[in-house]
Amino acid sequence: MPRRIAATLSLIVFAITLVTGEFQADNPFSTSVLRAVLAMAFTYVIGLLLGAMAQKMLDENIKESEKKLKNNQSSAPPAAR
């Protein structure tokens, strides 16, 4: 999951940076591509961190939900099972 988030974010940033540098700022193609690649690399690292945090949060919530479900099933009266 962290790699998917990082890859998605970095490709979006690459495309936006490339289009912005090429058409709006009228920069040369090499300058636009270099800046887009640097932005993509930087965003990939940030995306990995965000993805790792999101994965940890999901794992903790799933464990907590499983504990609650297990406790609810074990505390139910036998007739209700």
Side-chain angles (χ1 to χ4, degrees):
M1 183 170 143
R3 285 184 275 158
R4 287 181 188 166
I5 291 173
T8 303
L9 288 175
S10 63
L11 286 174
I12 291 170
V13 167
F14 176 80
I16 291 172
T17 306
L18 189 63
V19 168
T20 303
E22 193 66 29
F23 296 116
Q24 288 184 354
D26 291 329
N27 288 331
F29 181 72
S30 60
T31 303
S32 297
V33 170
L34 177 64
R35 288 179 182 170
V37 168
L38 291 174
M40 180 176 65
F42 183 71
T43 306
Y44 186 78
V45 173
I46 291 173
L48 283 174
L49 294 172
L50 289 173
M53 288 189 297
Q55 183 69 48
K56 185 170 178 146
M57 180 185 65
L58 287 173
D59 291 342
E60 289 175 358
N61 285 333
I62 289 171
K63 284 180 185 178
E64 187 67 30
S65 296
E66 287 174 350
K67 283 182 184 178
K68 287 180 181 179
L69 183 62
K70 196 174 193 179
N71 287 339
N72 287 341
Q73 287 177 352
S74 64
S75 65
R81 287 188 206 167

